[in-house]
């Protein structure tokens, strides 16, 4: 169920009976010459809506702009600084608890948001306000991703291309797939990524001239559909798993024994 | 032009030649028994996209969740606290300037965001990073709004109902229009709004049991279309006006004479 | 009773028996060629002290500098940035609750403070620390203001001039009243205030060369006295109203039914 | 010259020619059974206004509430938390520089504000915005204070009592002077202030039951006048000294030689 | 050269000629029944000092407490919250630039600090204050680590055990190595780490009862020495690499063409 | 007992039975031509470890970098800005309470940290999280310090020199003692410290060319040993005193009578 399409009286049963919210988050950032800047938030939104509908959960609107300063050199990339992103997400998450929501899955399709969602999740859990966990679609189906693509590329590669071919085919510039591959970095391990153990890059442009990685010509709508279905299955399973857990089981384990102060005279 | 549908190379001309961005902002909050929680962000997005397309400007994705704590008692209302909202908006606005954007129109359809957008706009202007101004659709066409509706209601009333009838008719619960009117507050001045000069309310629920105001049965898709077209015209005009201004004319006027320290020995 | 003139033992009865504080806030900003920069804080202080005395409430010292960046071009205008203002007011308000004060009226005479006081009031109410409400003198007596002046001007106009003629006549530059009128903007609606629905100004200087609005020559001490008395009456009534309310009635209404989680299995 | 009594045109010469502002700061906190809670801000204001008038400098309105949590147990004590106090003072100080003010003397009469004013002063100096220095009246005339009183007490003692006798005699409860002495701590060194080198107190009440120290019966208006005049002299001298210094001489000395990077190849 | 052992005059040549600082950071957190809580900061400090000495660079004192809330259940684990950690590190790093230091290597031995150091590094680079990069010893020698240990365990495992055997052998509880292995999780992949693509753990205790991973009995001082030498070599190489780079080459690449605003009329 | 040398199981008894932590804090800042920049953190660490061992208390690792901007002109001085310092210390202190620690002694050897530790201590006490008190070694033995040295100098003087001669003799540049004396300021009262009651200095360099004060040639290792032993005794006594106090006795005294609201109808 998509929260924003409902009227408030229609949400009464959910608020009374349920405790899970699905929150899609993405980015608005360059994805090469063949994919729209919307790529990440489109993927997150499509997966979150589909899984929420299948599983009977509540899906919120999408956070469209995330933490993407590492793509800034390319036209149109938007980003918020990490503290502002964390505080924005924490604030609406915390406020969701007013309606009894105490489990949140951040359906995320932008790697740069992950550590920040994790930090927000920890804050909410430390206060026992909610259990909020980030989820990245491709990390839920690593084997399938590897099986489908030889050079899958972590950004703007065939896996994201295939997903957009399935979700929003009109937004894929088919004629640019070869350009995308030839002007970028096909194999991540060919990049000059580390120097003596330190990261040798801050920005996407440090490793790829057109902003993308992998072999985009390997993407097809059919592969996109397989990815989408498999990831949705994973997400529904995750939502069911969280839904069924007693709340205390989702909170931090107690201090090991002996308990602090337990033998204080 | 909608930024998020473009690839980065397609944005090169705009970045090189232009300086204006249109940013839609709304809320996800109760709008009575007849309108979806999405109402405000749907209106903002529709107007912003249409005006940007007509005028040849760049429209960004929408900020879907705003400052709505005054609607919290109704199921599903989402909100962020004011400092988080301001910082999130300021951060992406400031970062847009990296691409040469130094004029931003916040196309807003939620009153509760206004003062915060104004505060952000002032910060950006004080630093001479950008001229950013908030714009509220119904305030741009006050005469038309008055002419069309007898009891127009500032929240969830016939003007918003008519707009959604035009923009997303499938989301209007037609069968609930009478309920909306009868269970809410038809005429704002009948409310118990002020007591000896102080506001006598903090939340929508203090004045309306179902969260809405005005006479919703007065709304029609045709009125919605007239509102939409008139407001879009205003917005295009505003964008043109801002686009044509030299940047210094958009910045603060200088200190009055005599200039500070001008006669210091 | 003025808190700062008392010794601490003299406040014991009030602390034990009462729960209301009156806090005057103003600004230190230009008020044209005829009025002192103190205008707003003088008005707030005079009204707050008088109403507190009449009604038997406790009045605190005055916050003299507020949020006035929109007057900065004129010599001597002082201001604090909004976050600092909010935090300062929130901090002492919150700390007043240590003495049992859980109702605060911010007697304010500067429009630029209003939205910030409202934001602080909401924070205090959300935490159920106190009910704090902002009050602006002229908004409590709109009919009288309209009756007395043809061109009342929202800043430095005849209503403020008359008030200072009554409160601190020695501070009015009588010989400058015509200059004030002729060098400023007599009728607000003649100003170039909006452009296609957006504010076309940020600062006072954008609309008035000498910083003021309205017809100052229309002010008299007698009118000032009438304004002062009428506004004081309103304020006393407001304080009595707040004093009599049970605290829970001043806090937010509960979540609408069904209650969150009430039917959770 | 008192800024707040002036109109903006009257301040033009000062803004053009001068660079110094005098800012009074105090507290609103218990001062025993004989002195008003206003004591500190009355003293600061009286000294600042007098010295500004004598020396031809600009005095701003007073900050009436400071950092006084250590007096909170006594009825009516008001306070702001340190970060809010610092940010408020920093904000208006920084904004004064818009009018060419780059030297500020914080005329302070409350010990609890000192370290915070120093921290603000350092921030302003590090950014080379202004030279702002805190000044505490009794620290400018230590010999006179010692000569006049045997048990001078750092809080609510005879020196502050004498000052209020001179500045605002109607606010001194003459009949309570003996009570003040007998119910407090006459000699600071009799207090239980330190334990093995650590402070053994956080709050005034830890050492004095009625909140004050010293022998209040030793105060006279004549002593108050001598203190006032001597301190004012010091303050005028300080203002003249600061006024005459070239701005660079008030800023931080440069890095010692060799300069960083000066021999970098 | 260890900064803290030097006098200031002895640092003059370095300040004049060089631009690199080495900053060790670790944690104070549980490392099982066999290793001290100091483990991470001891390793970071030993490597940083050795590499700085070999390469002729300046090493600062160590930050001993980092971001370790995920170990909190075990006695004695200390931690700071992420915003405080980031601000502390950013502040001293930024201030180091006053002495001409514009390249910093954060020699880190605690995984939980990494993302925060990266965030700080990005802030410093965006302002072009310094190039600061985090470095994690074991990530610089992945092949050697794999070759030496079958079950190397990311926390408290044989690689850290061997390092402490080499650096501070007196702190290894030799008699507890088998306990460490048997009471913990030998093979990370046996842990219940992910559920449908989401992390199924927040804290170390969620996967290991005694807090550690891997086979500690596989550690020897000789292996520790090899690890230490190899990692030091990597670090020296990294420092040389950074030292030789022109500063602009360490800063962000420019915006892709066309440049923002370049064709604006 | 030094926390960082222990394994977590070894800390179980302490956590169960005790409630005190000893936290050493210093600075890394210039101490003249004869002492290392580490001086303050070496002294704090040595005293804290020794006293903790003698008294059976838990000592944490050292905070090596503090608030030292006033020494910045001299090569190598490191510092953090006050808000970052306070937040870092507050964060780990607050988190120590998770292990039952509710009494903390900040063993500090750098004057510039004192007011900030006091502010942190007050925050922790207001929330009743912990009683945390700052302790400065030389302030615990003022008579001995005066007896031992004629010109003891508050920074880099003979008392600190003697302490380092005792704690880390290899770090004292014996050949530079006369230089230290002759190039600095021997007698503080000869400095130009105050002007008309205001501080006439911000930085060490304003009063001493080589950064130090006092007569360093008066230091001997024997004097250092006496200082060290006497200060350690004081610290052990302080720890015992705090350890024995019931927790409520360490918290703030209650509001004076009548209690707030006690007679409210």
């Amino acid at each position: 169920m998509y929260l924003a399409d409902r009227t408030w009286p229609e949400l009464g049963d959910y608020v009374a009976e349920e405790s899970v919210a699905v929150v899609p988050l993405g980015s608005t950032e360059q994805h090469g010459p063949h994919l729209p800047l919307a790529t990440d938030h489109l993927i997150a939104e499509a997966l979150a809506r589909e899984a929420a509908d299948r599983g009977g959960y509540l899906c919120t609107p999408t956070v469209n702009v995330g933490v993407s300063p590492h793509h800034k050199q390319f036209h149109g990339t938007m980003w918020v600084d990490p503290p502002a992103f964390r505080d924005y997400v924490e604030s609406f998450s915390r406020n969701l608890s007013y309606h009894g929501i105490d489990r949140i899955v951040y359906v995320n399709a932008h790697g740069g948001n992950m550590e920040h969602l994790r930090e927000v999740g920890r804050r909410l859990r430390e206060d026992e306000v909610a259990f909020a966990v980030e989820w990245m679609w491709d990390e839920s189906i690593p084997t399938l991703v590897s099986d489908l693509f030889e050079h899958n590329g972590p950004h703007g590669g065939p896996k994201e291309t295939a997903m957009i071919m399935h979700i929003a085919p009109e937004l894929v510039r088919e004629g640019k797939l070869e350009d995308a591959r030839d002007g970028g970095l096909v194999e991540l391990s060919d990049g000059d990524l580390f120097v003596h153990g330190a990261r040798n890059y801050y920005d996407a442009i440090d490793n790829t001239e057109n902003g993308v990685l992998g072999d985009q010509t390997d993407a097809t709508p059919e592969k996109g559909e397989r990815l989408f279905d498999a990831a949705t299955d994973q997400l529904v399973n995750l939502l069911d798993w969280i839904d069924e857990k007693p709340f205390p089981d989702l909170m931090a384990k107690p201090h090991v024994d002996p308990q602090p102060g337990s033998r204080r005279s």
Side-chain angles (χ1 to χ4, degrees), chain A:
Chain A
M1 183 160 56
Y2 179 48
L3 183 146
D5 278 354
R6 302 290 99 195
T7 66
W8 72 258
E10 294 165 5
L11 293 168
D13 287 345
Y14 195 90
V15 160
E17 294 164 13
E18 306 293 340
S19 58
V20 176
V22 187
V23 178
L25 302 106
S27 69
T28 298
E29 69 184 25
Q30 69 88 7
H31 274 77
H34 64 303
L35 288 181
L37 276 77
T39 295
D40 287 350
H41 67 251
L42 289 176
I43 293 173
E45 187 168 299
L47 288 167
R49 296 264 193 107
E50 178 71 15
D53 284 349
R54 283 198 208 162
Y57 298 103
L58 193 66
C59 181
T60 73
T62 302
V63 176
N64 292 313
V65 178
V67 183
S68 308
H70 47 303
H71 293 289
K72 72 177 178 183
Q73 284 88 356
F74 297 97
H75 308 311
T77 293
M78 296 180 70
W79 75 99
V80 284
D81 296 328
F85 179 77
R86 288 188 293 256
D87 289 353
Y88 183 84
V89 175
E90 180 179 352
S91 186
F92 74 70
S93 298
R94 206 172 271 276
N95 291 334
L96 277 173
S97 72
Y98 182 79
H99 301 297
I101 300 298
D102 58 19
R103 292 131 212 253
I104 298 173
V105 175
Y106 297 128
V107 175
N108 180 51
H110 171 55
N113 294 342
M114 288 294 274
E115 71 197 47
H116 308 297
L117 296 172
R118 204 149 43 212
E119 187 170 327
V120 169
R122 184 172 286 278
R123 292 185 201 169
L124 296 171
R125 191 171 180 251
E126 280 177 355
D127 295 347
E128 305 209 339
V129 164
F131 178 80
V133 70
E134 73 286 359
W135 180 85
M136 184 85 178
W137 70 274
D138 53 332
E139 293 182 5
S140 77
I141 47 168
T143 310
L144 179 60
V145 170
S146 296
D147 288 352
L148 289 180
F149 309 108
E150 194 174 350
H151 304 285
N152 63 51
H155 181 76
K159 67 186 171 193
E160 290 187 339
T161 306
M163 281 290 260
I164 298 297
M165 284 173 168
H166 173 64
I167 294 169
E170 73 283 6
L171 294 178
V172 181
R173 277 62 171 171
E174 298 277 351
K176 298 287 184 183
L177 296 179
E178 293 191 15
D179 282 3
R181 180 195 59 200
D182 298 343
L185 180 69
V186 173
E187 187 47 54
L188 186 60
S189 58
D190 292 342
D192 187 22
L193 301 174
F194 292 94
V195 53
H196 310 298
R199 277 182 315 123
N200 186 24
Y201 64 100
Y202 261 89
D203 298 324
I205 203 173
D206 295 335
N207 279 299
T208 159
E209 277 190 34
N210 68 2
V212 289
L213 303 150
D215 179 0
Q216 289 76 8
T217 63
D218 199 15
T220 67
E222 293 71 28
K223 290 182 180 180
E225 186 173 8
R226 287 185 62 190
L227 292 169
F228 186 83
D229 288 343
T232 304
D233 286 346
Q234 289 292 306
L235 182 51
V236 172
N237 290 342
L238 174 65
L239 291 166
D240 288 344
W241 179 89
I242 283 175
D243 187 40
E244 283 158 22
K245 281 268 188 186
F247 187 69
D249 291 7
L250 293 167
M251 294 294 100
K253 289 214 167 88
H255 198 284
V256 297
D257 283 318
Q259 291 302 300
S262 57
R263 302 202 307 260
R264 212 181 281 173
S265 55

